[in-house]
Amino acid sequence: MRTAAFILAVLLLVPAAAIGGAAGPESGDLPVPPSVSLFEAVRHALAHSREGRIADRDVRVAEEGRVRAGAPRLPRVDASSDLTTFSEPPAVFIQGRETQTMERSVLRARLTAEQTIYDFGKTGAGVSRAEARLDAAERRAFLARERIAFEVIAAFLSARRAEQLRNVAEESLRAAREHRKVAGDLYELGVVARNDVLAADVLVANEEAALITAENRVELSRSRLALRMGFSGEKAVAPEPGDFPVPEGKAPPLSESVRAAMEKRHELKAQGAFIREGEAGVKAARAEFAPTLFGQGGFSYETNELNPNPSVFSLLVGGKINLFSGFSDEAARREALETVERRKEELALFRDEISLSVKGAHLSVIEAEKRRAVAEIAVARAEENLRIQNNRYREGLSISTEILDAQTLSTRAKVDLGNATFDLFEARYSLLVERGELLDFLGPLLGPGLERDIAREGPGEGR
């Protein structure tokens, strides 16, 4: 009895284990890494993002739509059967005598094949529309991947920025405590008044509060990075220390960036696919005015012994044309034309908006570069000013207020430098996005698997 129970338990558990092993792990089930590099974060997000999976499913839906659109080019084969039962057997009178013509119960079976011979472009227009929708879906999938990558990069840079600003707060706190020690020593020697010590205590308290705020920002930015990678927002992932790749060099001329954006931005290519879909819809609407020629072959069999030909083959060649449909065909043609014109206007609007966004990205890069250069000079001068004021204070040539002002200037200059540096990094990545080149930049660095996926998501022209 125990052996039978054990065998039954094994039989129940093995299929369940197999099913559980076959299911792909959700992002929420994956272990959260303590730290990641920039490319590890992007790679994980591209592989596990729900937005990316939704876009990929849209592509597969569009692929099946293309198969459906081309189905009329192949023959349609139907099979049917029915059983007919009469209360009385069918009969006719011949020369006054009743003659039975059919059995009371008859089983019929039919097999038919129908093929469209020529429909004056209806099927071709449907295929063109389906291919345009597929092209647009692939463009949107590429855009989704690009958006995911940029959001992860922005979160990574935000986390590194928060860490650098926290380091500035720690450094400022150490300097404030050192000044408090010097003020206390000078007060013990009777060189300075007690208000210098009290002012130093206030400075230390302010710097401690700033450090608390900076540490909270670090934790929040790490949780935001985990969220962009596909984990729950309550988790936290730290960016790895050290260097990380950033687009280098001077920004290209604005006119060149606008030209690159017009050639590479997949929003424009997706809108172009929508225009091609609309133009194919115009062709389909015009084809509705033309006839459809078709051929049909069939075989039928019935279990009627009174029928001398129970098995029959048939062949039919015919055509059909709509003569009147309440003007719906003409309205459909006008609707398709108006749809095309509307989508062309949308394309022109997209071009105008992209030109503005590219210019904005260019200006952001230039601004961040200048701010960083100015901030570097300001940091050097603020540190020199703080060093001079500290030396003068120890010699009794400076007052506490000058030390506090110098410390505040130094902290502010370092914060401005950190913000300008990371604003420049983000602006350079943003310029890549505006030019439509972000995934081109990341592709060779993310590994061969995702590089192939990125290349696949960038469909070719002229589908």
Side-chain angles (χ1 to χ4, degrees), residues 128-143:
S128 298
R129 295 179 70 181
E131 289 180 344
R133 284 193 290 268
L134 174 58
D135 191 11
E138 290 176 339
R139 304 292 182 184
R140 289 195 298 269
F142 190 91
L143 286 172

Side-chain angles (χ1 to χ4, degrees), residues 390-462:
N390 282 329
N391 291 337
R392 293 180 71 238
Y393 186 77
R394 290 187 179 93
E395 295 173 1
L397 301 176
S398 174
I399 62 176
S400 177
T401 303
E402 293 174 331
I403 293 292
L404 299 181
D405 291 342
Q407 178 66 40
T408 302
L409 286 176
S410 177
T411 300
R412 183 185 303 167
K414 291 177 182 178
V415 169
D416 290 343
L417 177 59
N419 285 328
T421 299
F422 281 94
D423 285 345
L424 177 59
F425 294 159
E426 188 167 346
R428 286 177 173 173
Y429 272 112
S430 179
L431 181 57
L432 283 181
V433 173
E434 295 298 335
R435 288 171 58 92
E437 298 173 344
L438 177 61
L439 292 185
D440 294 338
F441 174 79
L442 296 175
L445 305 172
L446 290 175
L450 286 177
E451 184 179 4
R452 286 194 301 270
D453 292 342
I454 290 171
R456 179 180 62 82
E457 294 294 347
E461 298 293 338

